[in-house]
Amino acid sequence: MTLYPYEMIDPYFWEKFFLFILLTALVLFLFNEGMRRLLKVEKRGFFNKAVYVNKRHKLIDRTIRVIFLVFMIIALIVNVTRDSVEMIRIFDPAILLFFMLFLTETTRAVMEYKYSEERNRYLLTTSFVLFTSILVISMLMTDFYWLF
C-alpha cells in the first residue's frame, strides 16, 4: 500500500494551483490598491510592509512572533506524536500562522490609529485584515472554492 496514491491526483492540479495563487494575489492587490486610493493613503514599497510605527510597535510585534514561534514548536511536538485523526487542529501550523498574521496586523492597525501621522492608514490596514480574513475563511469553508 502506498502512502500517497498518485494516480488519484488531479492531472491539472498544478495548473489549478498556480491559477488559484495568481487570482488570489490579484484580488488582494486590487483590493489594497482600491482602498488605498479611496482613502488617499500614500503608497508603501512592496517590501516596506514591516515598517514599524514606533519602537513600542516593534517590541510588541516581535513578541507576538516569538510567542507564535514557541507555539509552533510545541504544536509540532504535540501533533507529531499523535495519529492524524487525533491531531489537535488548532495546532495546525497554517491555523497558527493565520492567527499570528491576524494579530500582528491588528496590532499594526491599533498602533497606526494611535501614533501614525496619516490618519487613514489604520483604516487601510483594518479593511485589508478584514478582507483577507473573510477571503481565507471562505477558501477554507469551500475547499478553496471547490478547486481542490
Side-chain angles (χ1 to χ4, degrees):
M1 183 175 145
T2 60
L3 186 60
Y4 297 103
Y6 292 109
E7 58 272 356
M8 295 181 68
I9 293 178
D10 184 10
Y12 298 105
F13 172 78
W14 289 109
E15 289 87 352
K16 287 182 185 179
F17 177 73
F18 287 121
L19 182 65
F20 175 76
I21 295 295
L22 276 169
L23 288 177
T24 303
L26 180 66
V27 165
L28 289 173
F29 173 78
L30 291 175
F31 177 81
N32 194 38
E33 284 299 305
M35 288 301 293
R36 188 184 62 77
R37 289 181 182 171
L38 181 71
L39 295 171
K40 297 177 178 71
V41 175
E42 183 180 321
K43 186 175 184 174
R44 284 189 190 159
F46 184 72
F47 292 108
N48 286 344
K49 190 68 173 164
V51 173
Y52 298 108
V53 176
N54 56 24
K55 290 185 181 206
R56 185 176 188 194
H57 177 216
K58 185 176 183 179
L59 176 69
I60 293 170
D61 186 72
R62 290 189 176 177
T63 303
I64 291 169
R65 290 173 190 266
V66 167
I67 289 170
F68 272 93
L69 180 65
V70 170
F71 274 147
M72 284 193 182
I73 292 169
I74 292 170
L76 175 69
I77 293 168
V78 168
N79 278 341
V80 84
T81 60
R82 296 173 177 261
D83 190 25
S84 63
V85 177
E86 298 173 354
M87 287 175 54
I88 301 172
R89 295 295 172 203
I90 195 70
F91 280 166
D92 186 353
I95 294 173
L96 285 174
L97 183 64
F98 172 75
F99 282 129
M100 183 198 72
L101 291 173
F102 182 81
L103 192 57
T104 57
E105 289 302 306
T106 302
T107 303
R108 174 183 304 283
V110 169
M111 297 305 270
E112 287 172 347
Y113 176 73
K114 286 184 174 183
Y115 302 110
S116 181
E117 289 137 14
E118 280 186 289
R119 293 309 306 163
N120 287 340
R121 173 69 64 186
Y122 81 95
L123 289 174
L124 177 65
T125 304
T126 303
S127 64
F128 190 72
V129 167
L130 290 175
F131 181 75
T132 305
S133 298
I134 291 169
L135 190 68
V136 168
I137 290 169
S138 68
M139 279 190 260
L140 293 174
M141 291 178 70
T142 60
D143 288 331
F144 296 91
Y145 302 117
W146 303 281
L147 285 175
F148 304 102

